[in-house]
Amino acid sequence: MKIRNFSAALIMMLVLPVALMSQTENIDLSMIYKIKQEGLKYSQIEELAFGLTDLTGPRLTGSTGMKRGNEWAKAKMEELGFQNVRIEAATEFTKPGWDNLKTYAAMTAPYYANFACNPVAWTGSTNGLVKGEVVLVDIKAEADIEKYKGKVAGKIVLLPSAANYEVSFEPLASRLTDAQLEEMSKASAGRPGRRPPFDFAQYQAQRALRNKISEFLAGEGAAVVLNSSGTFNVPRSNSASYKKGDKEPAAQLNLPVEAHGRMERLLKHNIPVEMEIEIANKFFDSPTVYNVIGEIPGTDKLLKNEVVMIGAHIDSWHGGTGAADNASGCIVMMEALRILKAIDAAPKRTIRVCLWGGEEEGFLGSRGYSDKYLADPETKAHKADFDKFAGYFNMDNGSGKYRGIYLQENDLVRPIFEQWIEPFKDMGFTTISPNNTGGTDHLTFNSLGLPGFQFIQDEIEYGRGYHTVMDTYERLVMADLKHNAVITAAFAYNAAMRTVKLPAKPVMKPHPEDQQRPRF
């Protein structure tokens, strides 16, 4: 008798976990077929891409272009038949509004050479066309500032290069290999090709020094400050740490390392360098950060108030037109909802698309949404919509094809996603990574313990183009975006049709170390 009981118990121990892990998802393959047909044969990706890049232009947070992008997205959502479409305030912006109106820079001695350049956001203008000698200011520590007092007034100041170009023998664009995807499917494997862990303390120290240098040069009356940023003669975009009420920074330009390095080497060989530069920037009242929202309302009388969300950030930097980062995500999300609308999908839960403002400035749009609807930012007390949250899917890794999805360590959804990816394995969508990935808006919801996910994407040439003036329509791989929209539509629909919401990670007892970490 004891042997039989032991055997029965052993069988239960082996079988029960398998049974729990193999619960069948009620996937409507006829709907998956319709989604594929509509999304791959009748896509509107190209038209959406034109609208949010060439037509609206760059969409820096708080700029006129951001307002233009929001208005275009709202009008397009209405045209596509989405419901409850609105441009909704998320939070107040601590910086003023800022537009770049004109930028020109050229070296005029020892010979003429015009340079590609990009102004640093939230920095000032020149007093018309400035002509003069270039002064190399070598400040590596705060103590070095003293030796330049009284020497930079009215000068064009060249800061020392922060990076040197090194020849790379890697392809400019790449797709994830089968071996890399296999490695990503393992716990704590990370993402192939990513940079080493970010040293936040070093970043803060460097930024603090840059701020002190900027304050000094502005106080001394420097005409223009020139930075080295970007390669392949393509300058990058970034911003000054300028807030409403601060003294306006001196005009600053980012030059690519090739242009910057040429002048730096000339000066170090004691050859005088002269330039002419004109920058016109406009500051205006501190704006509000907005999100653009539309939806397909749920149809089930018990579940229609629960919400499946899909989203991407609509803001960009001011160089280029913010195509890969992140018009690509926005148009995929809009196309996913368009597909569902076009095939007359009637989801049980509401499916909501959210285009977030201010992601580049610290997830401002998604945080504002969370603070308003989901949880109090101070007390963490849940708000009315917290229990209605049924899952979130985000795209913000450029234009590359979806190859899988990150679980964000939420093993409870693995058996669900394993079944959801089956109809798309022949499209190369095969991989489930148990690991976390960061850097974008799904973290807002993960921080509350809610199920938010980011897709694994091919890199293409993301690292080369994002945050630069080359992030334009040409960076978009239309076939990949169509592929992504189809999968997004299917995942959103599956989540909206489940009997129960996607499971969140179990609540853990607070750990002392976690209390000392940043919110994101």
Side-chain angles (χ1 to χ4, degrees), residues 77-226:
M77 287 186 189
E78 291 170 337
E79 177 188 321
L80 294 173
F82 302 172
Q83 296 189 36
N84 302 321
V85 176
R86 69 256 192 207
I87 298 174
E88 182 175 280
T91 187
E92 292 303 308
F93 194 33
T94 58
K95 294 181 179 181
W98 184 89
D99 285 340
N100 173 238
L101 305 179
K102 184 176 183 179
T103 306
Y104 164 72
M107 183 175 72
T108 55
Y111 48 85
Y112 180 85
N114 67 317
F115 291 146
C117 57
N118 195 24
V120 175
W122 293 289
T123 59
S125 307
T126 60
N127 185 17
L129 182 66
V130 173
K131 298 182 179 182
E133 65 176 312
V134 177
V135 177
L136 179 61
V137 172
D138 191 5
I139 300 176
K140 293 184 173 66
E142 189 174 349
D144 296 334
I145 292 176
E146 286 294 319
K147 61 186 177 184
Y148 293 102
K149 281 191 173 181
K151 298 180 180 179
V152 298
K155 304 292 186 182
I156 298 170
V157 174
L158 186 75
L159 295 180
S161 178
N164 295 311
Y165 175 71
E166 294 183 9
V167 173
S168 171
F169 294 93
E170 299 298 322
L172 293 177
S174 63
R175 293 197 183 276
L176 292 166
T177 65
D178 290 343
Q180 288 176 318
L181 290 168
E182 173 64 24
E183 187 65 21
M184 293 177 74
S185 71
K186 300 174 184 177
S188 302
R191 186 173 182 190
R194 284 301 195 191
R195 293 184 292 271
F198 184 63
D199 188 335
F200 190 67
Q202 182 184 22
Y203 167 79
Q204 286 184 308
Q206 291 173 344
R207 193 169 181 87
L209 178 60
R210 286 199 303 270
N211 291 341
K212 289 184 180 297
I213 294 171
S214 295
E215 291 171 5
F216 166 73
L217 295 175
E220 291 286 301
V224 190
V225 180
L226 304 176

Side-chain angles (χ1 to χ4, degrees), residues 53 59 234 316-317 319-328 360 462 464-476:
T53 58
R59 302 170 304 282
V234 176
S316 76
W317 285 100
T321 55
D325 187 22
N326 187 30
S328 61
E360 298 288 1
Y462 186 69
R464 180 188 179 206
Y466 90 113
H467 293 193
T468 76
V469 299
M470 69 179 282
D471 189 8
T472 58
Y473 183 95
E474 288 72 20
R475 305 287 81 71
L476 301 178

Side-chain angles (χ1 to χ4, degrees), residues 374 386-387 389 410 442 444-452 503-505:
L374 301 177
F386 187 93
D387 291 329
F389 188 95
N410 185 352
H442 69 289
T444 293
F445 308 106
N446 289 162
S447 72
L448 300 177
L450 294 168
K505 289 180 280 190

Side-chain angles (χ1 to χ4, degrees), residues 227-263:
N227 307 298
S228 170
S229 180
T231 57
F232 293 97
N233 282 301
V234 176
R236 297 188 67 82
S237 296
N238 60 4
S239 67
S241 298
Y242 178 73
K243 296 186 294 296
K244 182 172 55 178
D246 292 349
K247 183 178 179 181
E248 184 175 306
Q252 289 191 44
L253 277 184
N254 283 339
L255 297 174
V257 297
E258 295 88 350
H260 186 283
R262 187 193 315 190
M263 292 191 293

Side-chain angles (χ1 to χ4, degrees), residues 282-342:
K282 177 184 177 182
F283 289 85
F284 47 93
D285 290 341
S286 183
T288 300
V289 175
Y290 293 94
N291 300 320
V292 188
I293 299 172
E295 61 194 29
I296 296 177
T299 59
D300 186 277
K301 63 180 181 180
L302 297 178
L303 301 177
K304 64 183 180 182
N305 290 327
E306 294 181 356
V307 180
V308 174
M309 294 170 60
I310 58 176
H313 72 86
I314 191 171
D315 65 300
S316 76
W317 285 100
H318 53 294
T321 55
D325 187 22
N326 187 30
S328 61
C330 293
I331 62 180
V332 161
M333 297 303 164
M334 292 175 69
E335 171 69 0
L337 208 63
R338 184 205 69 79
I339 291 169
L340 295 174
K341 183 74 177 174

